[in-house]
């Protein structure tokens, strides 16, 4: 009985000492504030002006950069506009203020209508999440060498062609337009030998520097809403290739046939084979 009483007393003393020690400690320090979110350089143009359409969420728990909820729209720089205007011969009437880039690197340039601009510049972005807006007008070309590394996108031709000079915009007849379509549809590589065309068009293309250009069907030149136009890329002196998808090429042919413009041009088979032939790799000895 004596031993049991002693043990109990010891245990009680130890618990009391422990309680006393905890009560004399300082209160725990408050949790550290989360690190400030870093500025995203894509939220500003080169002049430091904030781009609209880039509403941010709060910083993540791990302190990483915040998520951009809405697609950003950054006004194109004067350097970009001067670059494409000189190459494509854009007139001063072209609505420069309605062209916006998605990021500071301007890999893709969109055209926005004035009504879309007014919505994006208002406080509606605080209530809506913008997924997409505008029509793709220019796209940076990563392949091929050209004085201008921006090609005109098929979607934006209707916006740009009325302001283009004749330096890289050619109005052509039904025969040449049909020959381009037929050649592009038959070739997996979309390579087109310009010797298939009339002498007038052939000489114009050969005289071009490497890069993008546009052809428009003469019968629809005053009705751009018919969209009977194509974007092409000048490669070597005697070849070019289509920048239009196979689906859109098929749609163009349907419009040509429906409008009575289609001509079943007989392409020169030897030129077809030359343009689509793939170079064979040299075998190692």
């Amino acid at each position: 009985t004596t031993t049991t009483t002693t043990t109990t007393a010891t245990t009680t003393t130890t618990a009391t000492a422990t309680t006393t020690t905890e009560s004399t400690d300082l209160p725990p320090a408050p949790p550290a504030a989360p690190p400030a979110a870093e500025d995203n350089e894509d939220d500003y143009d080169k002049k430091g002006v904030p781009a609209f359409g880039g509403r941010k969420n709060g910083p993540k728990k791990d302190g990483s950069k915040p998520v951009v909820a809405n697609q950003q729209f950054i006004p194109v720089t004067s350097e970009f506009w001067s670059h494409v205007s000189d190459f494509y011969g854009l007139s001063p009437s072209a609505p420069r203020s309605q062209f916006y880039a998605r990021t500071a690197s301007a890999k893709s340039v969109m055209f926005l209508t004035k009504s879309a601009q007014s919505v994006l510049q208002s406080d509606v972005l605080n209530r809506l999440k913008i997924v997409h807006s505008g029509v793709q007008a220019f796209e940076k070309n990563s392949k091929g060498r050209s004085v201008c590394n921006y090609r005109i996108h098929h979607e934006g031709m209707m916006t740009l062609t009325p302001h283009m000079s004749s330096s890289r915009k050619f109005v052509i007849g039904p025969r040449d337009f049909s020959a381009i379509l037929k050649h592009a549809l038959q070739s997996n590589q979309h390579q087109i030998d310009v010797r298939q065309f009339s002498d007038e068009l052939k000489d114009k293309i050969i005289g071009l520097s490497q890069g993008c250009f546009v052809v428009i069907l003469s019968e629809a030149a005053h009705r751009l809403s018919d969209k009977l136009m194509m974007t092409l890329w000048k490669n070597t002196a005697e070849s070019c290739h289509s920048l239009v998808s196979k689906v859109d090429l098929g749609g163009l042919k349907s419009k040509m046939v429906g409008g009575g413009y289609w001509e079943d041009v007989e392409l020169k088979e030897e030129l077809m084979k030359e343009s689509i032939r793939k170079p064979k790799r040299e075998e190692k000895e």
Side-chain angles (χ1 to χ4, degrees), residues 14-24:
T14 303
T16 304
T18 303
T19 303
T20 305
T21 302
E22 290 179 356
S23 62
T24 57

Side-chain angles (χ1 to χ4, degrees), residues 78-243:
S78 56
E79 293 81 4
F80 165 83
W81 191 253
S82 176
H83 182 56
V84 296
S85 294
D86 292 344
F87 188 75
Y88 292 107
L90 297 179
S91 64
S93 62
R96 172 191 166 181
S97 61
Q98 293 175 244
F99 288 90
Y100 290 86
R102 292 181 175 180
T103 61
S105 58
K107 292 182 179 180
S108 179
V109 176
M110 313 294 292
F111 172 79
L112 273 65
T113 62
K114 291 184 177 180
S115 57
Q117 273 185 302
S118 62
V119 171
L120 292 172
Q121 290 171 337
S122 66
D123 61 352
V124 73
L125 293 179
N126 296 325
R127 304 187 300 273
L128 297 177
K129 180 177 180 179
I130 306 300
V131 177
H132 181 77
S133 182
V135 175
Q136 193 168 359
F138 293 100
E139 186 175 6
K140 184 174 285 187
N141 187 61
S142 57
K143 299 180 181 179
R145 299 177 181 178
S146 173
V147 176
C148 179
N149 57 348
Y150 281 92
R151 67 181 183 90
I152 296 175
H153 198 275
H154 186 68
E155 293 180 0
M157 284 192 299
M158 285 184 59
T159 302
L160 293 168
T161 49
H163 307 284
M164 290 177 61
S165 68
S166 58
S167 60
R168 303 195 77 88
K169 179 182 72 174
F170 306 137
V171 178
I172 62 177
R175 186 190 181 283
D176 281 333
F177 204 95
S178 299
I180 294 174
L181 273 176
K182 189 172 183 178
H183 206 316
L185 285 167
Q186 292 182 17
S187 169
N188 292 329
Q189 301 298 316
H190 287 197
Q191 296 295 326
I192 304 171
D193 194 307
V194 299
R195 290 174 292 177
Q196 300 277 11
F197 308 147
S198 63
D199 292 339
E200 181 182 1
L201 179 59
K202 178 185 68 176
D203 293 341
K204 287 181 178 179
I205 296 177
I206 291 176
L208 283 178
S209 60
Q210 192 172 18
C212 179
F213 65 99
V214 176
V215 294
I216 303 175
L217 180 67
S218 56
E219 279 72 4
H222 300 292
R223 299 189 310 276
L224 296 180
S225 59
D226 291 347
K227 298 182 180 180
L228 288 172
M229 57 186 79
M230 296 176 61
T231 50
L232 302 166
W233 185 273
K234 165 71 180 298
N235 295 323
T236 61
E238 294 182 343
S239 72
C240 59
H241 70 266
S242 169
L243 295 176

Side-chain angles (χ1 to χ4, degrees), residues 37-44 50-60 64-74 101-104 120 125 128-132:
E38 298 179 11
D39 287 337
N40 188 344
E41 64 178 1
D42 287 348
D43 290 337
Y44 301 88
F52 64 85
R55 179 170 57 85
K56 294 181 179 179
N57 293 333
K60 294 183 179 180
S64 59
K65 292 184 178 181
V67 178
V68 177
N70 284 339
Q71 177 182 323
Q72 300 173 85
F73 295 90
I74 305 173
R102 292 181 175 180
T103 61
L120 292 172
L125 293 179
L128 297 177
K129 180 177 180 179
I130 306 300
V131 177
H132 181 77

